[in-house]
Amino acid sequence: DQKEQVTPRRLAGGQFMVQLEAEGCYQCSSTGLIFEVTGRARITYSLLSWSKFAQLVQEPWVVGGPLFDVRCSEPAALLSIQFPHCLCLGG
């Protein structure tokens, strides 16, 4: 399964943005997110804090893994997103 590495542009507020120009499978070099698209799309995403949402998680579920907010300029073009199980942004 071939994935093209893409380096996101960093936006204000800790957001990332990638402009994907063609159909394919792309992996973000900063977060490990994998986007599968059928055509051109601009994807904006950011890492959220679980502290704001943890109260929504009820037993037997537990908070785990990174939490992302993902937005796409062409939602119909976004076939899938693969999320990492862990994330290290410490340099």
Side-chain angles (χ1 to χ4, degrees):
D1 192 10
Q2 295 278 350
K3 295 174 211 60
E4 183 177 336
Q5 288 284 315
V6 290
T7 301
R9 186 171 142 208
R10 288 186 179 250
L11 305 175
Q15 290 188 328
F16 298 94
M17 191 270 296
V18 290
Q19 178 69 47
L20 307 175
E21 299 297 335
E23 178 179 7
C25 195
Y26 301 87
Q27 183 168 22
C28 173
S29 62
S30 295
T31 63
L33 285 171
I34 298 171
F35 305 104
E36 184 180 4
V37 295
T38 59
R40 185 179 180 146
R42 182 179 61 252
I43 303 175
T44 306
Y45 47 104
S46 60
L47 189 62
L48 301 177
S49 171
W50 270 109
S51 63
K52 191 174 181 180
F53 302 97
Q55 74 279 2
L56 300 174
V57 180
Q58 298 178 1
E59 287 191 27
W61 300 100
V62 296
V63 171
L67 181 64
F68 288 94
D69 177 23
V70 181
R71 297 167 193 265
C72 183
S73 64
E74 300 294 331
L78 184 58
L79 287 179
S80 69
I81 304 172
Q82 295 177 37
F83 295 94
H85 291 101
C86 61
L87 181 64
C88 177
L89 295 176

